[in-house]
Amino acid sequence: MSKLLSIRNVGKSFGGLHVLHDVSFEVPAGSIYGLIGPNGAGKTTVFNLVTGLLPPSAGAIEFQGESLVGLPPHKITHRGVARTFQNIRIFKEMSILENVMVGMHDHLAYGGLGLFFNTPAYKAAERRARERAFELLTWVGLAHKAELVADNLSYGDQRKLEFARALATEPKLLLLDEPVAGMNPSEKTALMEEIRNIRDRGYGVFMIEHDMRFVMGLCDRIAVLNFGRIIAEGTPEEVRSNPEVIEAYLGKEEAA
Amino acid sequence: MEWFNDFWSTYSTLVFTVGVHMLLALSIWLTLSCGLLSLANAAFMGIGAYVSALLTLNAGWAFPTVLLAGGIAPALVALVIGAPVLRLSGVYLAMATLAFGEVVRITVLNLDITGGPEGLNGIPLATEGWHIALLLLLAFYGLARLRRSKVGRAFEAIKEDEIAARLMGINVNRYKLLAFVLGGFIAGIAGALNAHFTFFISPREYGFEPAVDILTMAVLGGTGSLVGPALGAGILTLLPELLRFLHDFRSLVNGAVLVLVVLFLPKGIWEPRRIRAFFRKGGQA
């Protein structure tokens, strides 16, 4: 399997506070990779570094063999990295359909003149975008609500919308920040199926998740982050039996 | 037709002013629609007015080219100051753009070519009603098309959540600059039109007060649509005239109306969603 994303010796500090030390791992194409760890371990910071919202203090981040360090977020999206957020960030005042169409921004190739004169090429591009948006919304089960204002959606539906919007950017690697938070068990199972589907189409999926059953059941490989360091990396079985991981999650057994 | 001629000879300037104010309100709508509180539009209008008036007076250019130049000049200025200024947001952007307005006003006040504090006199009357109507229609049409396209969606996404917008692949800085420059262009054309029917322009017309007035028009009407700013411009221009019978109390009542609208209609007078809901409720009752 070829590597899609590779993170090498990455460090991040805010002033004197070292959030990440010497973090290295690789996300292969066509697989689901999980990043887990206790609260405050620095998981979301890893996502922020990969998507260009923050610059790393040290180390290299490469996507398909090319460095992402120093690129602005929209260019990283353009390269094929999309993400969702832990604290959902949909565009609440826009319709659900428009939310997804914003994700297609980069793929609508018309200029100011086509827009002003409403040329056939412009119309065709907009129509295709609408159709594609409907396709994605059908896929996540929100098509019947397409014209609603996004703010009216339930929490679980907002997550699904964010998911559809991220896919609209046509990513090669999808970063999911706690995708099942706030979902009920049947929604979780359905999403698990969707994520497997996405992987089987050749995408890479890189997720942060707290729900252990979800992570262990879904991920091909897992990295464990604790206090800004990778303490374990491997298949779910390897990680599960790693004593350091057990200690990080359950605490150390008292000697006496 | 008798009554029309009477009406027109008395009120044509007022009607022209309504049209120009509508253009100005639309120009600030652009920046507001991507969440930027920029107060530079009065200065852009001033640049458009002075550049066009000087070209008419000294170079004798034809009116259409003068209008175009009146739009392009402030657009170029917006392009240059946009990169540093648009890094700011919220009140800091408002302060920086107001400061820019003061710089423009004081520059115009101290130059010889602009006539200093006395302004420019004897600008030929070239603007006709249909010029304003046509340009207003063009602006309306263009902005309406913009709103429905990926550009309009990008503006709204930036207004709602800049970080999410960036991660959707939107070059946020470029779109902010686009809104700023286009706004400058429209405001400049409004200034050029205005200069060619008022006969006289002076630096005072482009200072702090008009900058705030333009913002008030857009906010009063409502920035959720294009109708809102135009409606706000119409109301704010006509209200003082309609309240003339109140003599000394005129500005008092004018101000009271503004405060009441802002208090009770925080999203402006023209808010399609609220208006639809109102009629739906009315239908059921």
Side-chain angles (χ1 to χ4, degrees):
Chain A
M1 260 185 290
S2 65
K3 64 184 178 200
L4 201 52
L5 178 72
S6 97
I7 292 179
R8 279 199 310 273
N9 311 108
V10 164
K12 178 69 192 172
S13 45
F14 298 99
L17 183 70
H18 299 285
V19 178
L20 295 174
H21 313 262
D22 205 23
V23 169
S24 301
F25 57 88
E26 277 174 4
V27 179
S31 78
I32 302 173
Y33 198 91
L35 181 62
I36 63 171
N39 282 329
K43 303 184 295 293
T44 298
T45 304
V46 172
F47 272 23
N48 288 342
L49 295 180
V50 173
T51 50
L53 291 178
L54 293 172
S57 313
I61 301 172
E62 283 178 3
F63 182 67
Q64 294 185 309
E66 285 174 61
S67 176
L68 295 184
V69 177
L71 287 182
H74 67 269
K75 288 206 172 135
I76 293 178
T77 305
H78 184 76
R79 295 268 176 100
V81 179
R83 81 175 272 191
T84 65
F85 295 89
Q86 186 181 358
N87 48 345
I88 305 174
R89 302 184 88 133
I90 54 170
F91 305 116
K92 293 188 169 164
E93 302 273 314
M94 299 173 93
S95 81
I96 288 160
L97 186 71
E98 283 170 331
N99 262 278
V100 179
M101 287 176 81
V102 170
M104 292 169 183
H105 181 86
D106 225 8
H107 304 282
L108 284 167
Y110 51 73
L113 285 179
L115 184 163
F116 189 81
F117 292 108
N118 201 14
T119 57
Y122 165 84
K123 276 192 237 174
E126 280 284 308
R127 197 181 51 239
R128 270 200 307 278
R130 282 180 80 87
E131 285 167 3
R132 174 92 182 110
F134 262 108
E135 241 172 71
L136 287 166
L137 286 174
T138 309
W139 200 45
V140 296
L142 289 175
H144 59 293
K145 295 181 179 169
E147 302 295 337
L148 280 183
V149 175
D151 202 20
N152 296 335
L153 288 179
S154 71
Y155 193 71
D157 280 352
Q158 291 192 5
R159 286 222 171 272
K160 289 180 194 165
L161 173 57
E162 236 198 355
F163 198 62
R165 191 182 65 176
L167 287 176
T169 66
E170 297 180 21
K172 294 168 188 126
L173 176 67
L174 190 58
L175 308 188
L176 303 172
D177 199 342
E178 300 200 20
V180 296
M183 283 192 178
N184 63 39
S186 71
E187 282 176 325
K188 282 183 193 176
T189 318
L191 187 65
M192 220 173 202
E193 225 24 70
E194 301 302 356
I195 293 175
R196 282 203 188 100
N197 264 332
I198 291 174
R199 173 195 58 190
D200 295 344
R201 290 181 182 193
Y203 296 102
V205 178
F206 177 24
M207 69 163 88
I208 293 172
E209 188 49 69
H210 271 303
D211 187 320
M212 277 307 139
R213 203 167 337 150
F214 187 77
V215 173
M216 295 295 173
L218 189 59
C219 292
D220 300 307
R221 287 185 81 79
I222 293 172
V224 187
L225 199 61
N226 193 24
F227 293 116
R229 289 176 204 278
I230 297 285
I231 55 171
E233 208 267 351
T235 63
E237 290 70 33
E238 288 165 9
V239 166
R240 209 195 318 247
S241 53
N242 184 306
E244 244 186 297
V245 175
I246 296 169
E247 188 192 310
Y249 270 90
L250 302 177
K252 202 171 188 168
E253 216 171 320
E254 289 296 323
Chain B
M1 284 314 273
E2 186 74 22
W3 66 270
F4 181 79
N5 289 334
D6 278 352
F7 169 83
W8 195 247
S9 62
T10 320
Y11 291 113
S12 65
T13 313
L14 182 63
V15 174
F16 282 15
T17 308
V18 168
V20 165
H21 283 174
M22 284 181 172
L23 274 174
L24 289 170
L26 288 176
S27 79
I28 204 170
W29 171 86
L30 268 164
T31 32
L32 288 173
S33 76
C34 47
L36 296 170
L37 184 55
S38 156
L39 294 170
N41 294 48
F44 290 148
M45 179 199 186
I47 295 172
Y50 271 95
V51 166
S52 65
L54 286 170
L55 285 174
T56 302
L57 289 171
N58 300 340
W61 286 20
F63 190 51
T65 31
V66 162
L67 278 183
L68 194 64
I72 289 174
L76 286 177
V77 175
L79 194 65
V80 173
I81 67 163
V85 164
L86 294 176
R87 289 167 160 266
L88 304 169
S89 61
V91 283
Y92 302 102
L93 177 63
M95 281 159 67
T97 46
L98 271 180
F100 160 72
E102 278 303 283
V103 170
V104 170
R105 191 181 65 85
I106 290 166
T107 309
V108 169
L109 199 62
N110 288 291
L111 285 178
D112 285 332
I113 189 172
T114 58
E118 277 144 46
L120 290 175
N121 239 315
I123 306 163
L125 303 174
T127 304
E128 288 179 37
W130 69 269
H131 296 150
I132 298 180
L134 179 72
L135 288 168
L136 195 54
L137 267 174
L138 264 177
F140 235 100
Y141 172 80
L143 294 180
R145 293 230 45 89
L146 200 76
R147 234 164 90 80
R148 302 183 57 116
S149 72
K150 67 168 180 179
V151 181
R153 291 193 294 267
F155 283 173
E156 181 148 10
I158 293 168
K159 177 166 122 188
E160 285 199 39
D161 190 329
E162 219 178 292
I163 288 177
R166 278 181 208 280
L167 287 167
M168 290 299 112
I170 295 168
N171 188 339
V172 170
N173 298 347
R174 214 172 76 192
Y175 276 90
K176 282 183 173 177
L177 192 61
L178 176 72
F180 195 58
V181 169
L182 263 184
F185 181 74
I186 295 177
I189 287 190
L193 284 168
N194 187 60
H196 290 82
F197 72 77
T198 53
F199 191 70
F200 161 78
I201 54 175
S202 77
R204 248 188 324 157
E205 294 159 51
Y206 312 107
F208 176 74
E209 267 184 55
V212 175
D213 284 345
I214 295 170
L215 176 71
T216 316
M217 288 172 198
V219 172
L220 179 83
T223 55
S225 66
L226 292 173
V227 176
L231 187 71
I235 292 173
L236 267 188
T237 317
L238 294 177
L239 198 60
E241 300 302 321
L242 295 173
L243 295 177
R244 222 167 247 287
F245 68 93
L246 291 170
H247 304 289
D248 292 349
F249 292 101
R250 195 160 68 134
S251 4
L252 193 74
V253 175
N254 198 30
V257 170
L258 291 186
V259 170
L260 288 176
V261 169
V262 171
L263 271 182
F264 293 105
L265 304 170
K267 287 196 170 175
I269 294 171
W270 190 263
E271 193 196 342
R273 214 180 289 165
R274 179 175 50 78
I275 292 168
R276 268 200 302 275
F278 177 80
F279 280 111
R280 218 175 295 138
K281 237 185 269 167
Q284 279 167 0

